Amino acid sequence: IEGKIPQTTSFCKTGLSSFNYDDEALDVKGYGKIRFDKLISQGSFKKVYIGLGINELGYDMDAVVTQFENLLAQISTNQPDADIYILANIHVAKKRSVKDKIYNNARIDSLNDELRGLCDGNMVRYIDANALFDDEEGNLRADYTGDNTHLYGKVYPIWSEYIYENSI
């Protein structure tokens, strides 16, 4: 998204989840070290994109949904005019999906279904880019990943363009 929208504020780090997103201050351009609760209450945002979930696959699904509901409430309370977009979790490659009891596409689809259910289509919307990256069997294309899980950086522009185009 940053490539298309020059004034993007990103709150991110490796391993971030709906269970720990507000545990520590992160370095955010224009804000310095700041916790999410302070950022969302002090900033002014027209759009908020939530790209969490893959790290939650090992948790109880009801607990994950509750965490997302709490996050959505926190954002809505502090940014009542912002459009919120929940991003679908990207599938893993077949090689991982068939062998992994937690990180597999059936569980990813179940989580994505739960996340889609949190969206009202108005202030909270859902963006699913899996069709861009899936093979004919619904798995992450092997040529888009080096570890059967994460997208190569070279396909991020495709993903960000899709997100941008699907943000009303």
Side-chain angles (χ1 to χ4, degrees):
I1 295 174
E2 289 179 347
K4 283 291 237 178
I5 305 171
Q7 297 175 352
T8 302
T9 301
S10 298
F11 187 87
C12 55
K13 77 169 198 155
T14 302
L16 201 63
S17 79
S18 63
F19 289 93
N20 70 9
Y21 70 91
D22 208 17
D23 287 355
E24 66 180 278
L26 301 180
D27 192 22
V28 176
K29 184 172 75 177
Y31 292 89
K33 284 237 178 226
I34 191 167
R35 286 172 47 122
F36 182 78
D37 61 339
K38 297 281 189 215
L39 177 65
I40 204 67
S41 66
Q42 293 175 1
S44 178
F45 305 103
K46 293 179 182 175
K47 297 180 182 185
V48 177
Y49 298 88
I50 302 170
L52 298 172
I54 198 75
N55 293 321
E56 287 89 325
L57 283 178
Y59 290 88
D60 173 76
M61 198 66 68
D62 290 335
V64 173
V65 169
T66 297
Q67 290 300 115
F68 269 86
E69 288 171 337
N70 293 338
L71 174 58
L72 289 170
Q74 184 178 24
I75 295 168
S76 297
T77 298
N78 289 286
Q79 300 293 322
D81 297 324
D83 291 325
I84 303 169
Y85 297 89
I86 297 178
L87 307 179
N89 289 276
I90 301 299
H91 290 139
V92 295
K94 182 176 183 176
K95 194 171 186 178
R96 177 155 194 189
S97 187
V98 298
K99 293 180 180 179
D100 198 311
K101 291 180 181 181
I102 294 174
Y103 297 96
N104 60 65
N105 291 329
R107 285 190 59 80
I108 291 171
D109 287 341
S110 292
L111 174 60
N112 284 343
D113 288 344
E114 294 287 345
L115 297 178
R116 185 182 297 110
L118 296 174
C119 300
D120 62 13
N122 184 26
M123 294 302 286
V124 182
R125 298 182 182 97
Y126 183 76
I127 298 176
D128 187 348
N130 276 297
L132 295 174
F133 307 117
D134 281 353
D135 61 20
E136 61 282 346
E137 296 177 24
N139 301 294
L140 175 60
R141 287 178 39 177
D143 60 328
Y144 281 167
T145 182
D147 64 0
N148 298 311
T149 305
H150 300 94
L151 291 172
Y152 282 132
K154 69 182 180 182
V155 296
Y156 272 60
I158 298 167
W159 193 12
S160 63
E161 178 77 18
Y162 185 83
I163 293 166
Y164 177 75
E165 289 175 358
N166 285 277
S167 301
I168 298 171

